[in-house]
Amino acid sequence: MTEKVPSKNLERTVAVIGNPNTGKSTLFTALTGVHSRIGNYPGVTVEKKFGWFEHEGQSIRLVDLPGTYSLSPRTIDEMVSVDVLLGRQPDVGQVDAVVCIVDASNLERNLYVVSQVLDLGLPTVLVLNMWDVALDRGIQIDPVKLGSRLGVPVVPCEAHRRKQIDDVRSAIVRACHSPKTTPPDLFPEAFHEEGRKLQAEFLQFSNQTLPTYLVERLILDVGGQLETELTKPAPEQLITRLKDARERLKAVQFRVPNIEAKLRYGWSRQILNGVMTVPEKRQTTVTDTLDRWLTHKFWGLLVFCLAMFIVFQSISWAAQPLMKFCEFGQKQVGEMVGSLLPFGPFRSLLVDGVIAGVGGILVFLPQICFLFLFIALLEDCGYMARAAFLMDKLMTKVGLSGKSFVPLMSSFACAIPGIMATRTIENRRDRMVTILIAPLMSCSARAPVYWLMVAAFFPSISWAGGWITLHGIMLFVMTFFGAAVAVPIAWLFKKTLFKGETPPFVMELPSYKIPSPRIVLHRVFDRATAFVMRAGTLILATSIVIWSASYFPSDHTEEQKVLAEIRQAESTFATELDQKEQLSREREKFGNGPSGDDQPIAQIDGKISELDERLKPLHDLFDRRNKISEQLLAQSFLGRFGKVIEPVVKPLGWDWRIGVGVLASFPAREVIVATLGTIYSLGGDVDENSQGLQSALQSATWPDGRPVYSIPVAMSIMVFFALCAQCASTLMVIHRETNHWGWAVFTFVYMTALAYIGAWIAYVATGWLMAA
Amino acid sequence: MSSVVSQTLPLELLAAGEHGIVVEIDGSPELVVRLEEMGLHSGVQVYMVQTGSPCILEINHQRYSMRFDDSVTVLVDVSQ
């Protein structure tokens, strides 16, 4: 991966590190604004985030490190952080200074990681964030005194209110030009001595000098990531030497690993003594009151269910008008481009391939934004951790812990960040099971499929004055369907593939706060951009491939002739068409009910049929075009291939077009919407009243004239997509996170089998229910 | 240890609203170190906010949700 780095010779690199929930990303955004770039460190899925700013003529590149409680590299995240700080990460290079961000209201614990950072000897800036929270709690800190004791500049700051940000910038710039600091050195000489011995032994075996910091960490971290990584050259000998060193230290009362916490917290207390005063009496906070309700055994669960229901209801309710608007826009663009270009393959590629395909998926952008908005809000206000707490009981039933909940919940947005978030689960078995079931959570890419099917095939019934709609309920059910299936699957995996005890569960519950609009919108923007990028690249490519396969090798001259005739007829009947559109719009105001005795409705219906009579030549032309197009599609590569696979998908109630669509959507689920858009646009199933893909699906028929789509077929498609593993990126992430292709293949096979069986059951069961 | 048995008890036995000072954390080294890094270490005052499994603990205004099992024991002194 290449990084675009502004080409300034004097640019300095500064790493940002701190505990989780200290407002690290808020500070990062406040410092760098929009000038940031997110990627991955090569070979691992640890997020690499760079940002840039310029202050007092100095340009700074900030590297955001994952939130961590300590620098002992026990997980991949922590390993990357240590490598960056030691200058061992080639993508980042040498680090000139470190910004340590701490929660001023919980300084004692936060100083733990600070002491580890100071051990590195790099110029450091300590940012006391959440200064306001500390003041509210009556905590008093003397930053100047603290700074002189630590030997580093200390800057109080309120990142979420953007206060003192310039002070932080100045301190960073000054730190970049400061000499290295002297580490506090909390450990006895005997420990350093063992470190030097071990360093020499490593040199013997691997011919490379390990940094002193890493060797010392190796002694301190029993069973950590370093032990497996660094002892690779000669595992047996090196591990024996390591154990001997620890034994010798034990003899001098230096007990690894417990000694580290003891020494560091002792130091932390010593530093804070006389620098910080905490009020004797604990004040009641908003968090106390909220938690009494939100973590309550009964009320908490009720609020949780209600919150989820409202989220999904409001997505369907709020996004509807926006989506209508987008669809209208898509249609307008299609018509405009279509009218400008002469008939031929190029026009077809643009209108039927690109606009119908990519546009078909882009109309879902409002929903995607709303979904991410809600998830970002829940995360930022601190509720997500409470949800994990509430879910722990449920998760232990299937052998997992509440820790698996947050990755699974984020998988509702997208399985990729979800699977990456499993890195916070230390237990390997739990982590594996969570990774394997994460793709079952209904990600935002499935949502368009549900929205399309539900809007097209379920009647719009509403209750309680329009607040509860059938569409909303169906979306809610489909969204949680995958999660419901995941329960027995997780239980099964835990009983067979990953047998073992449920590990204990510790998780920080951050204080509640009002979500910062900037942070929330930033996250929504990031996700929306990623979605549009995917539509612009992967989905565009698939759309073009699908278009070519369904356009060639047939001869399209006759179709073009008919299309030209239609265009001419449309201009002849322009006034009639206008009138009809106006009437239809008026008719729509009366709802979908039958005309009956209602005078105005009957009048409009009469006028419409009168107009239809006059428009008959045009209708005939459309019919001819549809027949030709259908033949052409059936003769195309795609059509021939579709016919071959039709027997496989027929038990699910699908025609060959759906079958092809599903196959084509292997790289990404949402492609199905684009593919169906292209197929039905080319297939000519779109008549002059078409309101886009929805009505195209409603009017699709089998060769014998029966409609292809019905509620059972819609159900079968939705269930298939709820359970299938149609997402190449997810499989790639599974491969990277498990370090094995086998697990990616396993996930694909088990989910596809589940999807096929599930879709068949859904089709048969819904058909049976509808008949009853 | 035995001399202070009357005043120390496992953390999970505290009632809601009670507090104690952590005297010892026992269990698998990896887990113990994790707890210590997160702020649950000897000498710290811990409040039981909500009992149950998982329970909610509070240390220095910071809340944690925690489920205890056999792999780790946290002993607290409740005499103060």
Side-chain angles (χ1 to χ4, degrees):
Chain A
M1 195 177 294
T2 53
E3 284 294 332
K4 204 182 109 194
V5 180
S7 54
K8 282 196 179 148
N9 300 331
L10 294 167
E11 188 184 74
R12 303 292 172 128
T13 302
V14 176
V16 187
I17 194 162
N19 280 189
N21 303 313
T22 47
K24 191 163 61 65
S25 33
T26 314
L27 178 72
F28 190 89
T29 318
L31 285 172
T32 62
V34 287
H35 308 289
S36 65
R37 187 159 289 115
I38 301 175
N40 270 331
Y41 287 100
V44 287
T45 41
V46 177
E47 194 180 77
K48 177 175 69 178
K49 197 171 166 195
F50 286 162
W52 289 269
F53 72 85
E54 211 179 297
H55 190 74
E56 294 164 6
Q58 172 69 56
S59 62
I60 300 281
R61 179 174 63 152
L62 278 188
V63 186
D64 194 11
L65 297 175
T68 177
Y69 294 103
S70 98
L71 267 192
S72 60
R74 221 166 290 122
T75 61
I76 317 160
D77 275 37
E78 290 159 342
M79 192 66 232
V80 169
S81 300
V82 170
D83 278 345
V84 168
L85 292 174
L86 289 176
R88 282 160 57 97
Q89 189 61 248
D91 284 43
V92 181
Q94 280 301 325
V95 172
D96 296 297
V98 187
V99 176
C100 246
I101 177 166
V102 298
D103 176 355
S105 66
N106 194 4
L107 207 48
E108 192 185 299
R109 185 196 77 187
N110 277 257
L111 282 187
Y112 187 95
V113 75
V114 173
S115 80
Q116 290 179 323
V117 171
L118 292 178
D119 279 352
L120 291 162
L122 287 166
T124 304
V125 176
L126 186 69
V127 175
L128 298 179
N129 197 25
M130 310 209 212
W131 189 248
D132 48 332
V133 181
L135 287 181
D136 279 351
R137 289 189 190 159
I139 299 170
Q140 283 175 332
I141 302 166
D142 182 346
V144 181
K145 211 165 166 188
L146 179 63
S148 71
R149 280 197 190 177
L150 291 171
V152 301
V154 174
V155 191
C157 157
E158 290 166 45
H160 63 290
R161 292 208 186 119
R162 309 221 149 194
K163 282 190 183 171
Q164 283 92 36
I165 296 299
D166 264 345
D167 295 352
V168 178
R169 286 203 186 107
S170 303
I172 291 174
V173 169
R174 255 175 281 133
C176 285
H177 298 285
S178 304
K180 291 205 157 210
T181 53
T182 341
D185 194 19
L186 312 176
F187 297 100
E189 183 48 36
F191 170 70
H192 297 306
E193 181 60 44
E194 285 297 340
R196 281 192 289 273
K197 260 194 234 162
L198 206 60
Q199 203 168 16
E201 272 153 6
F202 268 84
L203 186 63
Q204 248 178 45
F205 284 105
S206 62
N207 259 340
Q208 67 169 50
T209 317
L210 282 178
T212 316
Y213 186 84
L214 277 191
V215 179
E216 295 192 350
R217 282 255 52 104
L218 190 61
I219 300 177
L220 291 171
D221 300 328
V222 180
Q225 181 83 9
L226 278 179
E227 247 181 52
T228 32
E229 261 297 286
L230 295 183
T231 55
K232 266 178 193 159
E236 276 171 39
Q237 293 97 318
L238 285 173
I239 289 198
T240 326
R241 305 273 158 100
L242 186 60
K243 281 189 177 151
D244 289 347
R246 285 181 188 147
E247 278 305 314
R248 282 193 297 272
L249 284 170
K250 200 173 163 188
V252 293
Q253 298 305 313
F254 189 91
R255 287 170 202 279
V256 169
N258 305 47
I259 187 79
E260 191 183 3
K262 208 169 152 187
L263 289 174
R264 291 200 193 276
Y265 279 118
W267 171 84
S268 165
R269 253 176 232 178
Q270 216 181 330
I271 292 283
L272 291 176
N273 186 21
V275 166
M276 181 177 79
T277 47
V278 181
E280 282 289 313
K281 208 173 167 290
R282 187 192 176 288
Q283 292 155 338
T284 314
T285 61
V286 185
T287 297
D288 297 343
T289 323
L290 280 174
D291 264 349
R292 209 165 296 146
W293 292 94
L294 296 180
T295 60
H296 190 272
K297 281 171 188 117
F298 174 75
W299 297 114
L301 277 176
L302 192 76
V303 170
F304 174 74
C305 293
L306 214 66
M308 292 297 119
F309 189 73
I310 290 171
V311 164
F312 288 99
Q313 274 291 333
S314 45
I315 288 174
S316 77
W317 170 78
Q320 205 72 37
L322 282 170
M323 194 179 150
K324 280 255 157 67
F325 178 75
C326 288
E327 269 182 349
F328 178 75
Q330 185 207 354
K331 203 179 158 220
Q332 291 296 310
V333 172
E335 274 174 10
M336 201 187 75
V337 173
S339 65
L340 287 176
L341 294 170
F343 291 106
F346 183 63
R347 176 185 183 276
S348 177
L349 169 67
L350 274 187
V351 176
D352 301 318
V354 177
I355 296 172
V358 177
I361 190 70
L362 280 183
V363 299
F364 292 103
L365 192 59
Q367 271 100 327
I368 302 285
C369 290
F370 272 99
L371 185 70
F372 281 113
L373 177 72
F374 280 115
I375 289 185
L377 279 174
L378 289 177
E379 258 176 10
D380 205 47
C381 74
Y383 184 70
M384 210 60 125
R386 269 72 185 183
F389 165 79
L390 289 169
M391 288 299 116
D392 183 65
K393 253 208 171 81
L394 208 80
M395 304 298 270
T396 42
K397 294 242 159 62
V398 295
L400 294 174
S401 82
K403 276 217 168 152
S404 300
F405 177 77
V406 178
L408 292 177
M409 183 69 204
S410 354
S411 299
F412 273 95
C414 177
I416 294 159
I419 289 169
M420 282 161 63
T422 61
R423 260 176 278 131
T424 56
I425 306 169
E426 282 128 49
N427 183 285
R428 189 191 152 266
R429 289 181 299 260
D430 270 34
R431 183 163 174 237
M432 283 302 300
V433 174
T434 313
I435 289 176
L436 293 182
I437 63 167
L440 279 174
M441 302 304 122
S442 186
C443 66
S444 54
R446 281 162 170 120
V449 183
Y450 302 154
W451 284 319
L452 179 68
M453 294 294 153
V454 168
F457 302 105
F458 286 82
S460 41
I461 308 169
S462 63
W463 299 277
W467 283 97
I468 301 172
T469 59
L470 179 64
H471 287 181
I473 292 175
M474 277 312 296
L475 290 179
F476 184 75
V477 168
M478 282 321 298
T479 306
F480 287 96
F481 177 71
V485 174
V487 171
I489 298 288
W491 181 83
L492 194 74
F493 284 163
K494 204 67 209 217
K495 283 277 170 239
T496 54
L497 293 169
F498 304 100
K499 272 189 247 180
E501 292 287 307
T502 308
F505 157 61
V506 203
M507 196 183 54
E508 195 175 316
L509 300 174
S511 295
Y512 292 101
K513 64 175 171 71
I514 294 169
S516 137
R518 223 184 276 253
I519 292 290
V520 168
L521 291 179
H522 204 86
R523 248 183 258 176
V524 173
F525 177 76
D526 276 354
R527 286 289 147 200
T529 325
F531 177 79
V532 173
M533 284 297 289
R534 235 155 96 105
T537 51
L538 188 64
I539 297 176
L540 175 68
T542 323
S543 290
I544 293 172
V545 169
I546 292 291
W547 172 83
S548 328
S550 45
Y551 193 82
F552 299 108
S554 325
D555 178 18
H556 288 262
T557 42
E558 204 191 333
E559 187 196 26
Q560 279 158 21
K561 221 177 80 199
V562 178
L563 282 173
E565 277 175 47
I566 290 180
R567 192 181 270 185
Q568 207 179 359
E570 270 177 342
S571 58
T572 320
F573 291 107
T575 40
E576 281 87 349
L577 283 169
D578 268 355
Q579 278 174 349
K580 196 185 160 188
E581 206 180 310
Q582 264 177 13
L583 286 170
S584 309
R585 231 176 277 152
E586 268 174 56
R587 176 69 178 81
E588 248 177 43
K589 286 182 199 146
F590 293 102
N592 292 326
S595 57
D597 299 331
D598 219 334
Q599 267 303 329
I601 296 184
Q603 249 179 10
I604 293 170
D605 281 350
K607 276 187 200 161
I608 288 179
S609 47
E610 215 174 278
L611 276 174
D612 275 339
E613 199 58 38
R614 264 190 278 166
L615 285 169
K616 198 168 176 303
L618 188 59
H619 287 302
D620 290 343
L621 276 174
F622 275 119
D623 284 345
R624 239 181 84 203
R625 186 229 158 178
N626 285 356
K627 274 205 194 84
I628 297 169
S629 303
E630 220 170 295
Q631 273 171 12
L632 287 175
L633 185 61
Q635 288 159 10
S636 68
F637 290 124
L638 193 74
R640 288 178 212 171
F641 179 66
K643 291 283 175 208
V644 176
I645 61 155
E646 193 166 19
V648 182
V649 297
K650 209 151 185 192
L652 310 180
W654 302 356
D655 73 346
W656 67 266
R657 284 176 280 209
I658 307 173
V660 165
V662 169
L663 276 186
S665 59
F666 166 72
R669 302 177 172 90
E670 61 268 46
V671 167
I672 181 76
V673 176
T675 312
L676 290 178
T678 303
I679 294 178
Y680 284 106
S681 178
L682 275 175
D685 271 315
V686 191
D687 67 2
E688 83 273 30
N689 288 327
S690 170
Q691 292 287 322
L693 187 53
Q694 271 185 36
S695 33
L697 298 185
Q698 283 160 349
S699 51
T701 56
W702 288 97
D704 60 8
R706 279 184 300 126
V708 171
Y709 291 86
S710 55
I711 290 182
V713 174
M715 281 304 290
S716 128
I717 293 176
M718 286 196 290
V719 168
F720 185 89
F721 276 93
L723 303 178
C724 70
Q726 310 268 73
C727 179
S729 328
T730 302
L731 296 174
M732 242 124 86
V733 168
I734 292 179
H735 156 64
R736 274 195 298 186
E737 291 291 318
T738 58
N739 241 331
H740 207 295
W741 271 115
W743 289 117
V745 173
F746 174 79
T747 309
F748 182 73
V749 171
Y750 105 79
M751 285 181 68
T752 306
L754 207 63
Y756 189 87
I757 298 166
W760 180 76
I761 294 174
Y763 178 63
V764 174
T766 327
W768 183 75
L769 268 175
M770 304 251 308
Chain B
M1 267 284 300
S2 55
S3 60
V4 287
V5 147
S6 56
Q7 291 155 326
T8 53
L9 56 114
L11 175 57
E12 60 263 46
L13 295 184
L14 291 186
E18 283 185 342
H19 62 94
I21 298 211
V22 177
V23 277
E24 201 183 330
I25 309 177
D26 240 338
S28 68
E30 252 177 85
L31 205 64
V32 172
V33 171
R34 263 285 178 252
L35 288 178
E36 287 173 338
E37 288 170 357
M38 286 183 79
L40 190 77
H41 57 93
S42 298
V44 89
Q45 174 150 286
V46 53
Y47 282 83
M48 175 64 76
V49 178
Q50 187 177 317
T51 53
S53 179
C55 62
I56 298 180
L57 303 174
E58 190 179 297
I59 301 163
N60 291 332
H61 271 277
Q62 177 59 60
R63 295 192 165 197
Y64 302 87
S65 101
M66 180 161 180
R67 178 163 35 73
F68 288 97
D69 66 7
D70 302 337
S71 62
V72 65
T73 319
V74 181
L75 290 176
V76 290
D77 182 356
V78 290
S79 60
Q80 287 168 343

